[in-house]
Amino acid sequence: MCGIVGYVGKSQAAPILLDGLSKLEYRGYDSAGMAVYDGTKIEYEKAKGRLRLLSEKTHDGETMQGTIGIGHTRWATHGEPSEANAHPHLNEEETIAVVHNGIIENYAKLKEKLIKRGYNFKSETDTEVVAHLLDYYYKQGNDPLTCVTKVMHRVEGAYALGIIFADYPDQIYSVRKDSPLIVGLGKDGNLIASDVPAVLKYTRNVYFIENEEIARLTEDTIEFFDVDGQPIEKEAKTIDWDVDAAEKGGYDHFMIKEIHEEPKTVRDTLNPRIKNDTVDIEELGMSDDEIKSISRIRIVACGSAYHTGVTAKYVFEEMARIPVEVDIASEFRYRNPILQENELVIAISQSGETADTKEAVRMARAMGNMTLAIVNVVGSSIAREAEKVMYTWAGPEISVATTKAYSAQLVALYLLAMKFADVRGLLSADEMKSLITDLKKLPEQIEMLLGNKERIQKFANRFVAAKDVFFIGRGIDYAIAMEGSLKLKEISYIHSEAYAAGELKHGTISLIEEGTLVGAVATQENVYAKTVSNIVECKTRGAFILAVTTVGHEDIEEVADYVMYVPQTNRYFTNSLAIIPLQLFGYYVSVGKGFDVDHPRNLAKSVTVE
């Protein structure tokens, strides 16, 4: 969740640190800080709240002189948001500075031992333990690399670390265990960061640090070591994103920019996998025999990715006739699941670093099951942990509330279901061609929906004061309702819940009263009449009905107060269209309430800790 940036080179470090941290604000944070070696000592500054406060305190970094430094945006875990708990943390002599993403699980025991050895603590954080532990080993006469390896052998949990030593003013040390960290190879210096957007301005050549690896950076060298301090070789990767992809590009928020990028995202995910009127997923690396042998699919994911999994369950089961179970990753990993032989476990994650999903993959592999990752970030942890990987190629998604990555995941899952159905002999050539034709229409249809955003904005303005909102649907429409509800609640802070429409009379309808907004999704022809009946049940109890349906169902206007129409498409693919007006609705409600759309309170983009 936290953001880490480090720089060593020819330029002043602090402005570069601030710039890099600004590209990581999407990760979620409540305080920020920097440490820079100024030629004689480590100087540091911290601020509670938004990054601009740190920038103001340091006059955009100009008051902190020095060409080596580390910066951090903190999302509170141990200790409240405060300057004392903000990173960096230092030893008592202030000769070692540390920034940290993750959780040190055994920090309490380590802290107790360090206190007995005379160490004093100024914060409530687990990170300060690392600073004092480094100090303890350094005072025993160890060099910095040895100190780092000894700390790695002592601490338990997930962590990414950036470290500077005043006695070694030309070196940054970075360490990774189950928390993302990259190294950027620049022209005028080298960098470390939690994610690629932080370094794109300075380089496109990056190293992805693997688990339990150490990097030592100077102005013109980068060395890598294993947990025992032995040198290792690594190969740099070239990032092909356009730098503008990590900027707003004239839009008010990243979220609305990324909504407008959904047509391109769908094309980029779809087009390379359509060849000669069939689905060809080269990178999948699964033989036809392996696909035919799959007895069951288990999808594990969190948040919006979980909702794409719910859609996939309906598509896979009907199209490919493979039974599918969908699990919230945090539930899957802490129960004792029964996985069948030949059961494929599909893990879905935008960042590829989602802690619970990553552990679910490890658990499935340990049980002997084949794993397939559907992720956006090339070289991410989940992509490396899973046996098979399918990338969504959505480009960087900055807003915490996912939109284009969600759409890319849907398309990837459609293609996978079509591939499996085809291999298993369940799709004729004509059926495959028809499905592909509808898939190829999706980008243009999404663009058409975006052309109606002003109409949705006007409607959204009527409900900025709403207290409770309910979304209902059946089948795939229920999965759409779940995501529409999440989009609204996470950025507007309005209480919103999604229910299977058939469950209304089993308790939920008691909450419907005069003026309650009910969003009803009704795109599935086989359950359309049933959903309309549920709409009537809500309407007669005073609800205001927002309906999302396909063109041709104008009769719904007889029972709904406001209707959002989406173009007709194959029933499997309606989520890709119906979610667009719901994303826009959530966005405009949040804008109308004056909230920070891209950085909703208490949330982070990459949930890298439990």
Side-chain angles (χ1 to χ4, degrees):
M1 291 184 176
C2 308
I4 290 175
V5 176
Y7 172 80
V8 54
K10 295 180 174 65
S11 303
Q12 293 298 310
I16 293 174
L17 299 178
L18 286 169
D19 178 69
L21 291 175
S22 72
K23 305 301 190 298
L24 299 178
E25 287 191 285
Y26 67 90
R27 297 176 70 87
Y29 69 101
D30 46 52
S31 59
M34 296 186 293
V36 174
Y37 182 76
D38 66 3
T40 59
K41 66 182 184 302
I42 294 177
E43 182 185 4
Y44 61 95
E45 190 63 77
K46 306 179 184 184
K48 176 185 174 182
R50 308 308 297 178
L51 185 62
R52 61 177 174 78
L53 299 176
L54 179 64
S55 184
E56 290 170 0
K57 290 179 74 171
T58 62
H59 296 276
D60 296 327
E62 294 301 324
T63 61
M64 298 183 72
Q65 296 296 306
T67 59
I68 180 172
I70 50 179
H72 190 266
T73 49
R74 176 179 186 254
W75 195 87
T77 52
H78 296 81
E80 65 181 6
S82 68
E83 287 193 11
N85 289 329
H87 298 212
H89 290 285
L90 292 84
N91 62 340
E92 290 188 68
E93 291 83 8
E94 298 186 349
T95 57
I96 302 172
V98 180
V99 291
H100 167 222
N101 179 18
I103 293 177
I104 306 301
E105 294 176 354
N106 62 335
Y107 88 99
K109 291 182 179 179
L110 293 173
K111 183 175 181 178
E112 183 180 354
K113 291 179 179 179
L114 287 165
I115 289 174
K116 289 180 179 178
R117 290 190 172 99
Y119 284 88
N120 298 305
F121 286 76
K122 299 178 181 179
S123 76
E124 304 167 274
T125 68
D126 54 338
T127 306
E128 195 177 0
V129 165
V130 176
H132 292 313
L133 202 55
L134 285 165
D135 177 86
Y136 172 74
Y137 289 123
Y138 188 64
K139 287 176 178 175
Q140 290 182 346
N142 296 295
D143 62 80
L145 179 60
T146 303
C147 293
V148 170
T149 60
K150 286 181 176 291
V151 167
M152 292 174 70
H153 284 293
R154 290 291 303 276
V155 300
E156 300 171 3
Y159 52 83
L161 303 173
I163 307 164
I164 57 175
F165 291 78
D167 291 342
Y168 294 80
D170 63 339
Q171 300 177 5
I172 292 179
Y173 288 83
S174 60
V175 182
R176 181 197 173 202
K177 182 177 183 294
D178 294 334
S179 195
L181 199 64
I182 64 166
V183 172
L185 178 61
K187 293 181 180 179
D188 298 318
N190 296 315
L191 305 100
I192 63 170
S194 299
D195 204 352
V196 170
V199 304
L200 273 181
K201 182 177 179 180
Y202 310 99
T203 182
R204 291 176 179 272
N205 299 315
V206 304
Y207 295 92
F208 292 95
I209 303 180
E210 301 286 350
N211 237 13
E212 297 190 324
E213 288 184 351
I214 305 164
R216 179 167 63 195
L217 288 68
T218 66
E219 177 183 312
D220 50 18
T221 65
I222 300 175
E223 300 169 280
F224 297 97
F225 307 89
D226 64 17
V227 69
D228 296 315
Q230 296 302 307
I232 55 177
E233 297 293 327
K234 294 185 70 65
E235 182 180 347
K237 305 291 184 182
T238 301
I239 302 301
D240 58 6
W241 297 347
D242 190 319
V243 175
D244 292 339
E247 303 291 344
K248 289 181 183 175
Y251 289 92
D252 291 335
H253 302 95
F254 278 110
M255 183 177 178
I256 190 65
K257 172 180 179 281
E258 288 159 4
I259 290 173
H260 277 272
E261 290 173 345
E262 288 184 81
K264 180 180 185 301
T265 295
V266 170
R267 286 191 188 98
D268 290 347
T269 304
L270 175 65
N271 288 348
R273 282 128 177 176
I274 301 297
K275 298 177 183 178
N276 300 320
D277 289 328
T278 190
V279 176
D280 184 359
I281 312 174
E282 290 183 3
E283 75 271 31
L284 195 59
M286 294 179 67
S287 68
D288 287 357
D289 286 341
E290 285 179 311
I291 293 173
K292 290 176 182 177
S293 71
I294 294 171
S295 62
R296 182 181 296 271
I297 293 173
R298 178 88 53 167
I299 297 175
V300 291
C302 303
S304 294
Y306 170 77
H307 298 159
T308 67
V310 175
T311 295
K313 174 181 173 66
Y314 293 108
V315 177
F316 270 100
E317 289 194 340
E318 184 172 347
M319 185 188 294
R321 303 308 294 159
I322 303 174
V324 178
E325 298 295 330
V326 188
D327 270 290
I328 296 172
S330 57
E331 290 295 310
F332 174 83
R333 62 178 289 207
Y334 284 115
R335 71 172 199 270
N336 191 13
I338 300 173
L339 296 181
Q340 300 177 355
E341 187 179 359
N342 296 325
E343 183 168 344
L344 173 65
V345 177
I346 300 177
I348 310 172
S349 168
Q350 186 280 136
S351 68
E353 302 293 346
T354 311
D356 287 313
T357 307
K358 178 171 60 179
E359 291 303 320
V361 170
R362 289 177 177 172
M363 184 176 176
R365 291 200 66 176
M367 297 174 71
N369 289 86
M370 182 183 292
T371 53
L372 166 63
I374 296 178
V375 297
N376 188 40
V377 180
V378 176
S380 55
S381 295
I382 293 173
R384 295 194 300 271
E385 292 279 355
E387 294 171 79
K388 313 289 184 181
V389 62
M390 183 178 180
Y391 289 111
T392 52
W393 301 325
E397 187 179 65
I398 307 301
S399 180
V400 168
T402 183
T403 51
K404 67 173 182 175
Y406 175 85
S407 288
Q409 289 166 2
L410 285 175
V411 172
L413 289 162
Y414 300 154
L415 290 168
L416 200 62
M418 290 163 63
K419 175 68 176 179
F420 284 16
D422 185 37
V423 169
R424 296 162 76 94
L426 297 174
L427 286 179
S428 68
D430 287 343
E431 287 172 326
M432 175 64 80
K433 187 174 182 179
S434 176
L435 289 168
I436 289 173
T437 297
D438 284 336
L439 276 178
K440 287 182 175 180
K441 290 179 181 176
L442 289 178
E444 183 180 342
Q445 291 173 322
I446 293 172
E447 288 171 348
M448 186 195 74
L449 289 168
L450 293 174
N452 292 325
K453 64 181 181 180
E454 287 79 10
R455 181 170 175 263
I456 296 173
Q457 182 178 14
K458 290 179 182 178
F459 176 74
N461 288 339
R462 299 172 57 183
F463 287 92
V464 294
K467 299 297 183 183
D468 300 284
V469 179
F470 299 99
F471 288 81
I472 61 173
R474 291 171 179 260
I476 288 176
D477 289 338
Y478 173 45
I480 300 168
M482 294 169 73
E483 180 62 11
S485 176
L486 178 60
K487 282 285 110 20
L488 180 65
K489 76 176 73 172
E490 67 183 334
I491 59 175
S492 73
Y493 318 143
I494 293 172
H495 170 253
S496 176
E497 300 292 341
Y499 292 94
E503 281 290 287
L504 275 172
K505 59 177 66 68
H506 295 281
T508 310
I509 203 167
S510 66
L511 298 173
I512 304 298
E513 56 188 28
E514 191 69 32
T516 300
L517 177 60
V518 174
V521 186
T523 71
Q524 299 297 296
E525 195 67 45
N526 64 323
V527 289
Y528 176 78
K530 296 291 185 183
T531 302
V532 169
S533 295
N534 298 132
I535 291 172
V536 172
E537 291 173 338
C538 295
K539 182 73 173 176
T540 57
R541 288 160 177 81
F544 188 98
I545 305 297
L546 160 64
V548 180
T549 190
T550 49
V551 172
H553 284 143
E554 285 74 14
D555 59 297
I556 205 169
E557 294 181 12
E558 297 177 9
V559 295
D561 297 285
Y562 185 88
V563 183
M564 297 176 179
Y565 290 102
V566 300
Q568 289 190 352
T569 187
N570 188 285
R571 66 186 184 281
Y572 296 127
F573 308 149
T574 55
N575 193 338
S576 291
L577 300 178
I579 196 59
I580 303 300
L582 295 180
Q583 290 173 347
L584 289 168
F585 176 67
Y587 170 77
Y588 284 121
V589 170
S590 181
V591 169
K593 293 171 77 73
F595 292 147
D596 188 347
V597 176
D598 290 330
H599 309 113
R601 67 189 183 198
N602 303 329
L603 298 179
K605 184 66 175 174
S606 300
V607 185
T608 57
V609 296
E610 292 187 61

